[in-house]
Amino acid sequence: MSGNFLALAQPGVQQLSPYVPGKPVDELARELNIDPASIVKLASNENPLGASPKALAAIREELAELTRYPDGNGFALKTLLADHCRVELNQVTLGNGSNDILELVARAYLAPGLNAVFSEHAFAVYPIVTQAVGATAKVIPAKDWGHDLSAMLAAIDADTRVVFIANPNNPTGTWFGAEALDEFLQDVPEHVLVVLDEAYIEYAEGSDLPDGLDYLAAYPNLLVSRTFSKAYGLAALRVGYGLSTAVVADVLNRVRQPFNVNSLALAAACAALQDADYLAESRRLNEAGMQQLEAGFRELGLSWIPSKGNFICVDLGRVAAPVFQGLLREGVIVRPVANYGMPNHLRITIGLPAENSRFLEALTKVLARG
């Protein structure tokens, strides 16, 4: 007799839907029987610049050691991060992408009977990690597509253990300023861990976004999570990190899997972190591409949500799913966000100039069909 293994799973897991990533190029090529090289993918917020040459060189040097386990403590990378982020070595937690940091937080601090607070239209992983451990998700309605920090603060109760906030937010690209963050952190109870997800913060440097690192010393209940997947161009290698008090980092390391960051990722991240020219070019390319897409939307009479990430959400004024399918037939992959409660929007990653032009041409053609 076979068991019903869905029914045997934890209740929170039963209610989950698997995370759906952006459509791969090869999959679309197979479906449409077209050349993969002709497809433009602007769906997954990847850096179109390609990896840093210094990171690629570091990977090549590390290849000879593939039979060895990686440094489970990630000493070299943690040392560089501690210096770069102005913290002590024991305040750094390494993750298999910043997604891993979010999961470590949930495993360490959430459980049945407890809850996590986060915003509507926020990163899909927040509800996944919360429900997976049997905790309750308190989803607070968004304000102008972004976080309503006052409402989120009001939702905190004695059973709240974690608040997830993202700045900039994915998928909307919205952000909040230093004053709003100051007021929020001052009023969050001491028993609540605030996870400030700054996966896209490098794209916003020099803007009006606060730097989460400036708040770590004053707030022992703050954890800042960041990644090398976006501005540093290492999405395939999956390496991220969390910065917190030494006590919180120690707790996370108790549930962290051994060797959760592989050797190639460690070596590449060390090199990428020290490649200031690459990061500057990533920002320049992103700023120019953002302006290019905004100009294209303006010409098409479309509105969009202003963004501080490497992506932008455009409002089509109609259900976006048919337009998404039409773009696929044109060989252009973007991201539908109906699962985020945004059925009329598409999220477009900023690409190279030619990729942005290709998308705008395809969008114009699809919209003209009605």
Side-chain angles (χ1 to χ4, degrees):
M1 180 182 295
S2 62
N4 184 341
F5 282 94
L6 175 60
L8 291 169
Q10 294 296 317
V13 176
Q14 293 179 36
Q15 297 167 15
L16 285 173
S17 297
Y19 178 84
V20 180
K23 196 177 192 70
V25 169
D26 288 345
E27 180 179 332
L28 181 61
R30 289 194 301 271
E31 289 178 0
L32 299 183
N33 192 29
I34 58 177
D35 181 3
S38 69
I39 295 173
V40 171
K41 183 187 178 188
L42 301 174
S44 300
N45 301 344
E46 297 152 334
N47 191 328
L49 190 58
S52 158
K54 293 182 179 180
L56 295 175
I59 290 170
R60 285 191 289 269
E61 289 183 12
E62 193 65 30
L63 288 174
E65 298 297 321
L66 289 184
T67 59
R68 307 293 184 187
Y69 284 105
D71 175 5
N73 290 319
F75 179 79
L77 179 55
K78 287 169 71 173
T79 299
L80 287 173
L81 284 170
D83 180 65
H84 181 76
C85 299
R86 312 180 303 279
V87 298
E88 299 298 321
L89 195 70
N90 60 5
Q91 294 180 255
V92 183
T93 305
L94 297 182
N96 192 287
S98 60
N99 187 107
D100 195 22
I101 300 297
L102 305 178
E103 185 165 352
L104 295 177
V105 167
R107 291 178 60 200
Y109 289 104
L110 294 174
L114 302 176
N115 68 71
V117 174
F118 49 87
S119 177
E120 178 188 23
H121 312 312
F123 188 30
V125 169
Y126 304 158
I128 290 175
V129 299
T130 300
Q131 289 180 228
V133 297
T136 300
K138 300 181 77 171
V139 185
I140 311 307
K143 184 178 181 180
D144 298 325
W145 301 110
H147 291 55
D148 186 339
L149 292 179
S150 296
M152 293 176 71
L153 188 65
I156 295 172
D157 60 28
D159 296 323
T160 304
R161 290 295 179 271
V162 177
V163 176
F164 293 107
I165 56 176
N167 205 34
N169 181 55
N170 175 32
T172 60
T174 51
W175 67 95
F176 46 82
E179 183 178 354
L181 181 58
D182 283 333
E183 293 176 355
F184 182 78
L185 291 175
Q186 287 171 16
D187 292 336
V188 172
E190 294 181 353
H191 73 274
V192 176
L193 182 65
V194 177
V195 177
L196 178 57
D197 183 349
E198 293 187 330
Y200 300 90
I201 193 67
E202 289 85 5
Y203 285 111
E205 185 170 290
S207 70
D208 51 356
L209 266 76
D211 184 338
L213 306 183
D214 294 338
Y215 298 82
L216 284 172
Y219 297 100
N221 62 334
L222 175 65
L223 180 147
V224 176
S225 67
R226 294 185 174 182
T227 184
F228 285 89
S229 294
K230 308 303 181 185
Y232 287 105
L234 299 179
L237 291 179
R238 311 303 302 124
V239 53
Y241 58 99
L243 305 166
S244 63
T245 63
V247 173
V248 170
D250 174 65
V251 170
L252 299 186
N253 277 306
R254 297 181 187 204
V255 295
R256 180 178 61 86
Q257 291 294 315
F259 314 116
N260 64 326
V261 182
N262 68 73
S263 296
L264 302 185
L266 290 171
C270 284
L273 189 64
Q274 300 175 86
D275 193 345
D277 291 340
Y278 173 86
L279 187 59
E281 179 61 13
S282 293
R283 291 193 189 109
R284 186 204 64 76
L285 187 70
N286 192 67
E287 291 170 7
M290 186 74 74
Q291 294 173 9
Q292 183 182 3
L293 290 188
E294 288 179 349
F297 297 150
R298 191 176 295 111
E299 190 171 328
L300 288 168
L302 300 174
S303 61
W304 63 90
I305 303 173
S307 171
K308 291 291 187 182
N310 68 334
F311 56 88
I312 187 168
C313 275
V314 61
D315 185 352
L316 301 175
R318 66 177 87 171
V319 175
V323 178
F324 167 70
Q325 292 296 331
L327 289 170
L328 290 181
R329 290 189 290 273
E330 295 294 326
V332 176
I333 308 173
V334 296
R335 189 64 180 266
V337 284
N339 60 317
Y340 285 95
M342 303 170 68
N344 291 356
H345 287 78
L346 291 175
R347 190 192 70 190
I348 298 91
T349 302
I350 307 302
L352 298 172
E355 294 174 324
N356 299 331
S357 295
R358 171 82 181 281
F359 158 70
L360 290 170
E361 290 167 2
L363 180 62
T364 301
K365 186 182 298 186
V366 172
L367 291 177
R369 294 176 188 150

